Amino acid sequence: SQQGEEDPQALSIQEGENATMNCSYKTSINNLQWYRQNSGRGLVHLILIRSNEREKHSGRLRVTLDTSKKSSSLLITASRAADTASYFCATEETSGSRLTFGEGTQLTVNP
Amino acid sequence: SQTIHQWPATLVQPVGSPLSLECTVEGTSNPNLYWYRQAAGRGLQLLFYSVGIGQISSEVPQNLSASRPQDRQFILSSKKLLLSDSGFYLCAWSVVVDEKLFFGSGTQLSVL
């Protein structure tokens, strides 16, 4: 069953702009993870944020988590054409269910 | 360093034929192993996961089975493929269950 839902489904921006993607979920979680997938390839892990954390950074990536609103956001600053990919959030529920992936946001960065 | 190998990259099979997809991990011991399927433009659906040799958990009833004959080998099989088995199959591993998964490059399976 789907837990995380990304918003928007698709996002198109110009190089140099910031890209923000959101993920909402329904139940209590232990952690939330963001992955990136280039077309026709496997997923690459970007960031894991635990339920007791509010914000994490990795290079140009910034992830926030609001457990009261059951939502997370992924911000990519100063985007590049190479950031073009699909971005997925995945949640590990406290219920013990296995990691559940959302449907993804397709990001296109135009040069 | 750890690496994951998944093959083949593309596979076209007739309905009713058998299937065997193999995934191996190098550079780590006792990894947690996963098989996912992804429909075009969609998220990932967990099919099977394994926390050790011979230990397989199935998440959804389906026409597929999985085996883990060796510590770092995970095999996805079917005796008779259905049209609905078409999709992009991804193998993954992790040190901690459900944390920071490392994915293979995927197999695009078309059942005709």
Side-chain angles (χ1 to χ4, degrees):
Chain A
S1 62
Q2 182 179 326
Q3 159 82 315
E5 292 187 9
E6 288 90 343
D7 171 59
Q9 290 186 335
L11 179 62
S12 182
I13 60 174
Q14 296 299 121
E15 222 171 13
E17 294 179 340
N18 295 341
T20 300
M21 289 159 272
N22 303 296
C23 171
S24 60
Y25 57 92
K26 299 174 183 175
T27 63
S28 297
I29 60 172
N30 291 321
N31 68 66
L32 185 145
Q33 303 171 50
W34 285 93
Y35 290 81
R36 164 198 169 122
Q37 183 182 32
N38 287 79
S39 180
R41 306 288 295 176
L43 280 72
V44 176
H45 181 269
L46 298 176
I47 288 184
L48 180 153
I49 186 165
R50 301 194 184 279
S51 60
N52 61 351
E53 299 175 306
R54 291 298 167 258
E55 187 172 313
K56 287 190 82 170
H57 297 255
S58 177
R60 294 183 296 113
L61 306 180
R62 172 178 169 250
V63 169
T64 61
L65 178 64
D66 187 334
T67 53
S68 66
K69 296 181 179 179
K70 291 186 169 58
S71 67
S72 173
S73 67
L74 170 66
L75 169 67
I76 303 175
T77 60
S79 64
R80 306 165 181 168
D83 294 328
T84 294
S86 291
Y87 292 82
F88 295 88
C89 68
T91 52
E92 184 193 7
E93 300 175 26
T94 57
S95 64
S97 299
R98 298 271 62 89
L99 192 65
T100 306
F101 285 81
E103 298 282 297
T105 291
Q106 173 61 53
L107 173 66
T108 302
V109 182
N110 301 298
Chain B
S1 62
Q2 301 91 353
T3 55
I4 179 170
H5 302 279
Q6 183 183 343
W7 67 92
T10 305
L11 191 59
V12 180
Q13 293 284 97
V15 170
S17 64
L19 172 73
S20 181
L21 300 181
E22 187 167 342
C23 173
T24 60
V25 180
E26 296 178 357
T28 188
S29 297
N30 196 31
N32 298 292
L33 297 171
Y34 313 81
W35 278 111
Y36 286 90
R37 178 168 61 200
Q38 184 179 30
R42 304 295 297 275
L44 276 65
Q45 178 189 36
L46 179 63
L47 302 176
F48 302 94
Y49 70 96
S50 171
V51 298
I53 296 175
Q55 300 179 59
I56 309 295
S57 296
S58 174
E59 286 296 295
V60 293
Q62 59 217 325
N63 185 42
L64 303 168
S65 62
S67 62
R68 184 171 179 173
Q70 300 180 40
D71 180 42
R72 291 169 289 176
Q73 184 183 30
F74 206 20
I75 298 173
L76 183 68
S77 304
S78 174
K79 292 182 179 179
K80 290 185 177 182
L81 285 169
L82 305 172
L83 288 173
S84 57
D85 292 323
S86 294
F88 191 52
Y89 288 82
L90 289 157
C91 180
W93 74 274
S94 70
V95 174
V96 177
V97 173
D98 283 346
E99 287 192 10
K100 196 175 181 181
L101 272 62
F102 296 91
F103 284 82
S105 54
T107 295
Q108 183 63 55
L109 172 65
S110 297
V111 183
L112 305 177

Short mmCIF file of all heavy atoms in Angstrom, two decimals, chain A residues 68-110:
data_model
loop_
_atom_site.label_atom_id
_atom_site.label_comp_id
_atom_site.label_asym_id
_atom_site.label_seq_id
_atom_site.Cartn_x
_atom_site.Cartn_y
_atom_site.Cartn_z
N SER A 68 4.27 16.52 12.85
CA SER A 68 2.92 16.93 13.23
C SER A 68 2.03 17.05 12.00
O SER A 68 0.83 16.79 12.06
CB SER A 68 2.95 18.24 14.00
OG SER A 68 3.38 19.30 13.16
N LYS A 69 2.63 17.44 10.88
CA LYS A 69 1.88 17.55 9.62
C LYS A 69 2.07 16.32 8.75
O LYS A 69 1.48 16.23 7.67
CB LYS A 69 2.32 18.79 8.86
CG LYS A 69 2.02 20.11 9.56
CD LYS A 69 2.46 21.29 8.72
CE LYS A 69 2.12 22.60 9.42
NZ LYS A 69 2.57 23.79 8.63
N LYS A 70 2.88 15.38 9.21
CA LYS A 70 3.18 14.18 8.43
C LYS A 70 3.63 14.56 7.01
O LYS A 70 3.05 14.11 6.01
CB LYS A 70 1.98 13.24 8.39
CG LYS A 70 1.65 12.59 9.74
CD LYS A 70 0.54 11.56 9.62
CE LYS A 70 0.40 10.73 10.89
NZ LYS A 70 0.13 11.55 12.08
N SER A 71 4.65 15.39 6.97
CA SER A 71 5.13 15.82 5.66
C SER A 71 6.63 16.08 5.70
O SER A 71 7.21 16.35 6.76
CB SER A 71 4.40 17.07 5.20
OG SER A 71 4.73 18.17 6.01
N SER A 72 7.23 16.00 4.53
CA SER A 72 8.65 16.26 4.37
C SER A 72 8.84 17.03 3.07
O SER A 72 8.02 16.93 2.15
CB SER A 72 9.43 14.95 4.30
OG SER A 72 10.79 15.17 3.98
N SER A 73 9.92 17.79 3.01
CA SER A 73 10.24 18.47 1.76
C SER A 73 11.70 18.26 1.43
O SER A 73 12.54 18.13 2.33
CB SER A 73 9.93 19.96 1.85
OG SER A 73 10.79 20.59 2.77
N LEU A 74 11.98 18.20 0.14
CA LEU A 74 13.34 18.10 -0.38
C LEU A 74 13.60 19.34 -1.20
O LEU A 74 12.87 19.62 -2.16
CB LEU A 74 13.51 16.85 -1.25
CG LEU A 74 14.81 16.75 -2.06
CD1 LEU A 74 16.01 16.60 -1.13
CD2 LEU A 74 14.75 15.58 -3.04
N LEU A 75 14.61 20.09 -0.82
CA LEU A 75 15.00 21.30 -1.54
C LEU A 75 16.34 21.06 -2.21
O LEU A 75 17.30 20.64 -1.55
CB LEU A 75 15.10 22.48 -0.58
CG LEU A 75 15.76 23.77 -1.14
CD1 LEU A 75 14.89 24.38 -2.23
CD2 LEU A 75 16.03 24.76 -0.01
N ILE A 76 16.39 21.30 -3.50
CA ILE A 76 17.65 21.25 -4.25
C ILE A 76 17.98 22.69 -4.63
O ILE A 76 17.21 23.34 -5.35
CB ILE A 76 17.54 20.38 -5.51
CG1 ILE A 76 17.09 18.97 -5.16
CG2 ILE A 76 18.88 20.34 -6.25
CD1 ILE A 76 16.84 18.08 -6.38
N THR A 77 19.08 23.19 -4.14
CA THR A 77 19.45 24.57 -4.44
C THR A 77 20.35 24.64 -5.67
O THR A 77 21.06 23.69 -5.98
CB THR A 77 20.17 25.22 -3.25
OG1 THR A 77 21.37 24.46 -2.98
CG2 THR A 77 19.30 25.22 -2.01
N ALA A 78 20.28 25.79 -6.35
CA ALA A 78 21.13 26.04 -7.51
C ALA A 78 21.14 24.83 -8.45
O ALA A 78 22.19 24.24 -8.72
CB ALA A 78 22.55 26.38 -7.07
N SER A 79 19.97 24.47 -8.93
CA SER A 79 19.83 23.23 -9.71
C SER A 79 20.67 23.25 -10.98
O SER A 79 20.98 24.31 -11.54
CB SER A 79 18.36 23.01 -10.05
OG SER A 79 17.90 24.04 -10.89
N ARG A 80 21.00 22.04 -11.41
CA ARG A 80 21.79 21.83 -12.63
C ARG A 80 21.03 20.90 -13.55
O ARG A 80 20.17 20.13 -13.11
CB ARG A 80 23.14 21.21 -12.27
CG ARG A 80 23.91 21.98 -11.23
CD ARG A 80 25.05 21.14 -10.67
NE ARG A 80 25.80 21.84 -9.63
CZ ARG A 80 26.67 21.27 -8.83
NH1 ARG A 80 26.94 19.98 -8.95
NH2 ARG A 80 27.31 21.99 -7.92
N ALA A 81 21.36 20.93 -14.83
CA ALA A 81 20.70 20.03 -15.78
C ALA A 81 20.87 18.57 -15.35
O ALA A 81 19.97 17.74 -15.55
CB ALA A 81 21.27 20.25 -17.18
N ALA A 82 21.99 18.27 -14.73
CA ALA A 82 22.26 16.90 -14.28
C ALA A 82 21.35 16.46 -13.13
O ALA A 82 21.31 15.27 -12.79
CB ALA A 82 23.72 16.76 -13.86
N ASP A 83 20.62 17.40 -12.52
CA ASP A 83 19.68 17.04 -11.45
C ASP A 83 18.37 16.48 -12.02
O ASP A 83 17.52 16.01 -11.27
CB ASP A 83 19.36 18.25 -10.58
CG ASP A 83 20.56 18.75 -9.80
OD1 ASP A 83 21.41 17.91 -9.43
OD2 ASP A 83 20.66 19.97 -9.57
N THR A 84 18.21 16.55 -13.33
CA THR A 84 17.01 16.01 -13.97
C THR A 84 16.89 14.52 -13.66
O THR A 84 17.77 13.73 -13.97
CB THR A 84 17.07 16.22 -15.49
OG1 THR A 84 17.02 17.62 -15.77
CG2 THR A 84 15.91 15.52 -16.18
N ALA A 85 15.77 14.15 -13.02
CA ALA A 85 15.57 12.77 -12.56
C ALA A 85 14.20 12.70 -11.89
O ALA A 85 13.51 13.71 -11.73
CB ALA A 85 16.65 12.36 -11.57
N SER A 86 13.84 11.50 -11.47
CA SER A 86 12.66 11.32 -10.62
C SER A 86 13.13 11.21 -9.18
O SER A 86 14.15 10.56 -8.90
CB SER A 86 11.89 10.06 -11.01
OG SER A 86 11.28 10.22 -12.26
N TYR A 87 12.39 11.83 -8.28
CA TYR A 87 12.75 11.83 -6.86
C TYR A 87 11.61 11.18 -6.07
O TYR A 87 10.44 11.54 -6.23
CB TYR A 87 13.00 13.26 -6.38
CG TYR A 87 14.25 13.85 -6.99
CD1 TYR A 87 14.21 14.40 -8.28
CD2 TYR A 87 15.47 13.82 -6.33
CE1 TYR A 87 15.36 14.91 -8.86
CE2 TYR A 87 16.62 14.33 -6.91
CZ TYR A 87 16.56 14.87 -8.17
OH TYR A 87 17.70 15.37 -8.76
N PHE A 88 11.99 10.22 -5.24
CA PHE A 88 11.02 9.43 -4.48
C PHE A 88 11.26 9.61 -2.98
O PHE A 88 12.41 9.60 -2.54
CB PHE A 88 11.13 7.95 -4.80
CG PHE A 88 10.78 7.59 -6.22
CD1 PHE A 88 11.74 7.62 -7.22
CD2 PHE A 88 9.49 7.21 -6.54
CE1 PHE A 88 11.43 7.29 -8.53
CE2 PHE A 88 9.16 6.88 -7.86
CZ PHE A 88 10.13 6.92 -8.84
N CYS A 89 10.18 9.71 -2.23
CA CYS A 89 10.30 9.59 -0.79
C CYS A 89 9.89 8.18 -0.40
O CYS A 89 9.09 7.53 -1.09
CB CYS A 89 9.46 10.63 -0.05
SG CYS A 89 7.67 10.42 -0.18
N ALA A 90 10.44 7.70 0.68
CA ALA A 90 10.13 6.36 1.18
C ALA A 90 10.05 6.45 2.69
O ALA A 90 10.88 7.10 3.33
CB ALA A 90 11.20 5.36 0.76
N THR A 91 9.07 5.80 3.27
CA THR A 91 8.85 5.87 4.71
C THR A 91 8.94 4.50 5.35
O THR A 91 8.45 3.50 4.79
CB THR A 91 7.47 6.47 5.03
OG1 THR A 91 6.46 5.77 4.30
CG2 THR A 91 7.42 7.94 4.67
N GLU A 92 9.56 4.46 6.51
CA GLU A 92 9.59 3.26 7.33
C GLU A 92 8.64 3.50 8.49
O GLU A 92 8.89 4.36 9.34
CB GLU A 92 10.99 2.96 7.85
CG GLU A 92 11.05 1.65 8.63
CD GLU A 92 12.34 1.47 9.41
OE1 GLU A 92 13.14 2.42 9.46
OE2 GLU A 92 12.51 0.39 9.99
N GLU A 93 7.53 2.78 8.50
CA GLU A 93 6.49 2.99 9.50
C GLU A 93 6.85 2.36 10.83
O GLU A 93 7.57 1.36 10.88
CB GLU A 93 5.16 2.42 9.00
CG GLU A 93 4.67 3.04 7.70
CD GLU A 93 3.42 2.36 7.18
OE1 GLU A 93 2.66 1.79 7.99
OE2 GLU A 93 3.19 2.41 5.96
N THR A 94 6.34 2.94 11.90
CA THR A 94 6.57 2.37 13.23
C THR A 94 5.83 1.04 13.41
O THR A 94 6.16 0.26 14.30
CB THR A 94 6.11 3.34 14.33
OG1 THR A 94 4.71 3.65 14.12
CG2 THR A 94 6.91 4.61 14.28
N SER A 95 4.86 0.77 12.54
CA SER A 95 4.08 -0.46 12.63
C SER A 95 4.90 -1.69 12.29
O SER A 95 4.48 -2.82 12.56
CB SER A 95 2.87 -0.38 11.70
OG SER A 95 3.29 -0.30 10.35
N GLY A 96 6.07 -1.48 11.65
CA GLY A 96 6.90 -2.61 11.25
C GLY A 96 6.71 -3.01 9.80
O GLY A 96 7.36 -3.93 9.31
N SER A 97 5.81 -2.33 9.11
CA SER A 97 5.66 -2.58 7.67
C SER A 97 6.97 -2.22 6.96
O SER A 97 7.73 -1.38 7.43
CB SER A 97 4.52 -1.74 7.10
OG SER A 97 3.30 -2.08 7.71
N ARG A 98 7.16 -2.86 5.85
CA ARG A 98 8.39 -2.61 5.10
C ARG A 98 8.39 -1.22 4.47
O ARG A 98 7.35 -0.58 4.32
CB ARG A 98 8.55 -3.68 4.01
CG ARG A 98 8.70 -5.09 4.54
CD ARG A 98 10.14 -5.44 4.82
NE ARG A 98 10.77 -4.63 5.83
CZ ARG A 98 10.74 -4.94 7.13
NH1 ARG A 98 10.08 -5.98 7.56
NH2 ARG A 98 11.36 -4.17 7.99
N LEU A 99 9.58 -0.77 4.08
CA LEU A 99 9.76 0.54 3.47
C LEU A 99 8.79 0.74 2.31
O LEU A 99 8.67 -0.14 1.45
CB LEU A 99 11.21 0.64 2.98
CG LEU A 99 11.73 2.01 2.56
CD1 LEU A 99 11.77 2.94 3.75
CD2 LEU A 99 13.13 1.85 1.94
N THR A 100 8.09 1.86 2.31
CA THR A 100 7.06 2.13 1.30
C THR A 100 7.45 3.37 0.51
O THR A 100 7.71 4.42 1.09
CB THR A 100 5.70 2.36 1.97
OG1 THR A 100 5.39 1.25 2.81
CG2 THR A 100 4.61 2.50 0.92
N PHE A 101 7.45 3.23 -0.81
CA PHE A 101 7.83 4.32 -1.69
C PHE A 101 6.61 5.04 -2.24
O PHE A 101 5.56 4.43 -2.49
CB PHE A 101 8.64 3.77 -2.88
CG PHE A 101 10.04 3.38 -2.53
CD1 PHE A 101 10.31 2.16 -1.93
CD2 PHE A 101 11.10 4.23 -2.81
CE1 PHE A 101 11.60 1.79 -1.60
CE2 PHE A 101 12.41 3.88 -2.48
CZ PHE A 101 12.65 2.66 -1.87
N GLY A 102 6.78 6.34 -2.45
CA GLY A 102 5.75 7.12 -3.12
C GLY A 102 5.86 6.97 -4.61
O GLY A 102 6.67 6.20 -5.13
N GLU A 103 5.03 7.73 -5.33
CA GLU A 103 4.97 7.64 -6.79
C GLU A 103 6.03 8.50 -7.48
O GLU A 103 6.27 8.36 -8.66
CB GLU A 103 3.59 8.08 -7.29
CG GLU A 103 2.45 7.20 -6.79
CD GLU A 103 2.35 5.89 -7.55
OE1 GLU A 103 2.08 5.92 -8.76
OE2 GLU A 103 2.54 4.83 -6.92
N GLY A 104 6.64 9.41 -6.74
CA GLY A 104 7.75 10.19 -7.29
C GLY A 104 7.37 11.52 -7.89
O GLY A 104 6.22 11.75 -8.29
N THR A 105 8.35 12.41 -7.93
CA THR A 105 8.25 13.70 -8.63
C THR A 105 9.27 13.70 -9.74
O THR A 105 10.45 13.44 -9.51
CB THR A 105 8.56 14.87 -7.68
OG1 THR A 105 7.51 15.00 -6.72
CG2 THR A 105 8.68 16.19 -8.46
N GLN A 106 8.81 13.98 -10.96
CA GLN A 106 9.71 14.07 -12.10
C GLN A 106 10.22 15.50 -12.20
O GLN A 106 9.44 16.41 -12.50
CB GLN A 106 9.00 13.65 -13.39
CG GLN A 106 9.83 13.89 -14.66
CD GLN A 106 11.12 13.11 -14.69
OE1 GLN A 106 11.13 11.90 -14.51
NE2 GLN A 106 12.24 13.79 -14.91
N LEU A 107 11.51 15.68 -11.97
CA LEU A 107 12.12 17.00 -12.04
C LEU A 107 12.87 17.15 -13.36
O LEU A 107 13.69 16.29 -13.70
CB LEU A 107 13.09 17.21 -10.88
CG LEU A 107 13.93 18.48 -10.94
CD1 LEU A 107 13.04 19.72 -10.81
CD2 LEU A 107 15.01 18.48 -9.86
N THR A 108 12.58 18.22 -14.07
CA THR A 108 13.32 18.55 -15.28
C THR A 108 13.98 19.91 -15.08
O THR A 108 13.30 20.88 -14.76
CB THR A 108 12.39 18.62 -16.51
OG1 THR A 108 11.74 17.35 -16.67
CG2 THR A 108 13.18 18.94 -17.77
N VAL A 109 15.30 19.94 -15.23
CA VAL A 109 16.05 21.18 -15.13
C VAL A 109 16.53 21.55 -16.51
O VAL A 109 17.34 20.83 -17.12
CB VAL A 109 17.24 21.05 -14.16
CG1 VAL A 109 17.97 22.38 -14.05
CG2 VAL A 109 16.77 20.57 -12.80
N ASN A 110 16.03 22.66 -17.01
CA ASN A 110 16.35 23.10 -18.38
C ASN A 110 17.62 23.96 -18.38
O ASN A 110 17.74 24.88 -17.59
CB ASN A 110 15.18 23.88 -18.95
CG ASN A 110 13.90 23.07 -18.98
OD1 ASN A 110 13.83 22.04 -19.64
ND2 ASN A 110 12.90 23.51 -18.23
#
